[in-house]
Amino acid sequence: MEIRQLRYFLAIADAGTFTAAAERLRISQPGLSASIRALEHRLGTALLVRGRKRVELTEAGRELYVGARRALAALEATESQIRCGPGVTKSTLPVGAIPSFAGLDLAALISRFTAENPHVDVDVTGGMPLDLFAKLTDRTIELAFVTMPPQAPPGIRLTPLSTYPMVLACPLGHRLAGRRSVELAALRDETFVDFPADLVARQVTDQAFQAAGISRNVRVTCNEIGSLLELVAHGLGIAIVPRPLAIATRVPTALVPLDNASLVCTVAVATPAHGVATDAAQAMWNLISNTALPVVHR
């Protein structure tokens, strides 16, 4: 496999269409398509399902996506270290992120940052939003990638990056599993598993049901998406979860779109309200500002 082919494949997976990827890469769409066909031929399997509006990754495509990200990140890190050379003082940029990066391609962002800033290492600390906000306040970290709460905590600035729909997750044999979409009223008598009450995804769901005048029976709570969907798969209840996180877990559940525009999950970057303090943090912020523009994904 050629590095160029892997970059093209990742661009298509991230952009969702050949057209958008070709524009981003500044190459012709026929040339991009030919490169991906050659890659699929070499591997002996399809990597993409070419739909009318979007492309989706096959099982082999998902495996290649993870491997390609790791390989290119390792290559770029090696290149950065070589360019850095001996005798150059290095620094470390501490950042925070919620588990699974919440649908944001943080690995790609960090890879590009380290390539452009070879003298800066990045230390990623995982945690829940409230913990990360506290670390921002005491300067343990300088930026954090979080799900966006209804209101910013005191002293914290939140800049939205991407918005994703929440979807219904239910067991494969559930009565709603085959629906094209579902309204909240259809869930009135269901039992739920959900995130704890202090997590943003739970708060968004609670507010939507309260606005619809529907009470819920939440049997089990869990703060980790993979474990939450395992509970769903074993029939303990249904759940409402951010779509990209649910897809990433690969837990065998049915994901059904919801007919409610308020049920969305927004990924944001959090910084101290008065701005970042170091040159490294400013460089990361500049990269985010230039490349991670607000996008709504449906």
Side-chain angles (χ1 to χ4, degrees), residues 62-297:
R62 287 192 289 270
E63 292 181 4
L64 179 62
Y65 185 93
V66 174
R69 280 285 178 221
R70 290 174 179 169
L72 292 179
L75 178 60
E76 290 172 356
T78 301
E79 291 174 345
S80 296
Q81 184 61 40
I82 293 172
R83 284 198 301 270
C84 187
V88 176
T89 302
K90 300 195 74 173
S91 62
T92 299
L93 173 63
V95 302
I98 64 173
S100 303
F101 300 159
L104 178 72
D105 195 350
L106 184 57
L109 181 66
I110 292 175
S111 177
R112 180 170 178 181
F113 174 81
T114 55
E116 295 180 3
N117 301 271
H119 60 289
V120 182
D121 293 331
V122 180
D123 181 18
V124 181
T125 297
M128 294 295 108
L130 292 179
D131 296 330
L132 297 178
F133 293 147
K135 286 181 168 61
L136 278 173
T137 300
D138 65 20
R139 290 293 185 179
T140 304
I141 58 177
E142 300 206 47
L143 305 99
F145 297 92
V146 300
T147 44
M148 190 167 180
Q151 292 184 334
I156 299 296
R157 180 177 66 180
L158 292 166
T159 303
L161 302 179
S162 295
T163 297
Y164 296 90
M166 306 277 277
V167 295
L168 172 68
C170 56
L172 296 177
H174 193 274
R175 66 182 181 87
L176 300 173
R179 294 277 191 94
R180 297 183 62 181
S181 64
V182 63
E183 298 181 353
L184 295 189
L187 310 179
R188 187 182 302 273
D189 298 323
E190 294 288 338
T191 297
F192 286 79
V193 297
D194 209 332
F195 299 104
D198 62 339
L199 294 190
V200 173
R202 170 67 181 271
Q203 294 168 3
V204 168
T205 301
D206 285 345
Q207 290 174 2
F209 275 85
Q210 289 169 5
I214 302 172
S215 60
R216 292 196 303 150
N217 173 26
V218 178
R219 178 183 295 175
V220 184
T221 60
C222 179
N223 67 0
E224 198 278 317
I225 182 68
S227 299
L228 186 75
L229 291 178
E230 290 285 356
L231 295 170
V232 172
H234 282 80
L236 274 77
I238 62 174
I240 294 178
V241 295
R243 184 176 183 270
L245 295 189
I247 292 174
T249 64
R250 302 186 185 180
V251 176
T253 59
L255 302 178
V256 185
L258 292 160
D259 292 331
N260 189 297
S262 69
L263 279 164
V264 295
C265 176
T266 298
V267 181
V269 59
T271 58
H274 53 273
V276 296
T278 66
D279 291 341
Q282 186 62 54
M284 174 65 86
W285 172 253
N286 292 341
L287 180 59
I288 294 168
S289 300
N290 292 333
T291 62
L293 300 177
V295 176
V296 177
H297 303 267

